[in-house]
């Protein structure tokens, strides 16, 4: 396969998918995997916004600066621009299946399906939670990022 490109998708693109993007960038860099990475939201409320300050703080504490990330909405062209699209929760996956054009080439899946023991589970939305919820999100997306890097290296 040519160089993989991975898009992470949640609802707002200000909490979970920017953290997934950050964790995956960090794990790919550590592993020496060349990959294009981005994130997007199914909704358009936060387009152009920086990540939630609590997400910025969580990533910063884990060694990644995401303050320059800006939210965007997922679109039909993403299904041919990316090789892999991962939904953070089951609702996001359902919305992506509806948006998916007939000429889509990207593999579309649920992020936690990549993590042994967490298959079928959703990354909970921490938006109405506290810092501990963002820490939990970080833990889940980091596990998924490690598994995904291993899978892409194996596919490479
Ligand atoms: P995210 O969290 O999908 O993880 O970025 C949310 C952020 C904002 C909203 C919902 C979820 N919102 O409804 O504004």
């Amino acid at each position: 396969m040519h160089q993989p490109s991975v898009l992470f998708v949640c609802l707002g693109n200000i909490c979970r998918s920017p953290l997934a993007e950050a964790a995956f960038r960090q794990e790919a860099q550590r592993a020496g995997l060349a990959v294009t990475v981005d994130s997007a939201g199914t909704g358009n409320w936060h387009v152009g916004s920086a990540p939630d300050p609590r997400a910025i703080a969580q990533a910063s504490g884990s060694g990644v600066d995401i303050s320059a990330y800006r939210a965007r909405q997922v679109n039909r062209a993403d299904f041919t621009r990316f090789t892999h699209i991962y939904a953070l929760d089951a609702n996001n996956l359902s919305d992506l299946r509806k948006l998916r054009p007939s000429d889509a080439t990207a593999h579309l899946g649920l992020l936690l399906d990549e993590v042994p023991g967490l298959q079928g589970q959703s990354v909970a939305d921490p938006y109405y939670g506290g810092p501990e919820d963002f820490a939990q999100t970080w833990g889940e997306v980091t596990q998924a990022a490690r598994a995904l890097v291993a899978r892409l290296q194996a596919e490479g």
Side-chain angles (χ1 to χ4, degrees), residues 50-63:
D52 186 286
R54 298 164 296 175
I56 293 176
Q58 176 62 49
S60 173
S62 304

Side-chain angles (χ1 to χ4, degrees), residues 10-18 41 45-46 52 88-89 92 124-128:
C10 65
L11 179 59
N13 193 208
I14 58 168
C15 296
R16 291 166 293 174
S17 61
W45 308 282
H46 300 283
D52 186 286
L88 274 282
D89 73 26
N92 307 143
D125 188 349
Y127 189 61
Y128 296 103

Side-chain angles (χ1 to χ4, degrees), residues 108-124:
L108 175 61
L110 186 66
L111 184 65
L112 291 183
D113 275 351
E114 298 296 320
V115 183
L118 296 185
Q119 290 100 334
Q121 296 193 27
S122 293
V123 177

Side-chain angles (χ1 to χ4, degrees), residues 21-22 27 33 44 59 64 67 71 85 90 95 102 113 119 121 127 131 143 146 152 154 156:
E21 177 181 350
E27 294 302 327
L33 177 70
N44 66 359
V64 192
S67 61
I85 299 179
D95 289 340
S102 57
D113 275 351
Q119 290 100 334
Q121 296 193 27
Y127 189 61
Q143 285 185 74
R146 287 186 184 140
L152 291 174

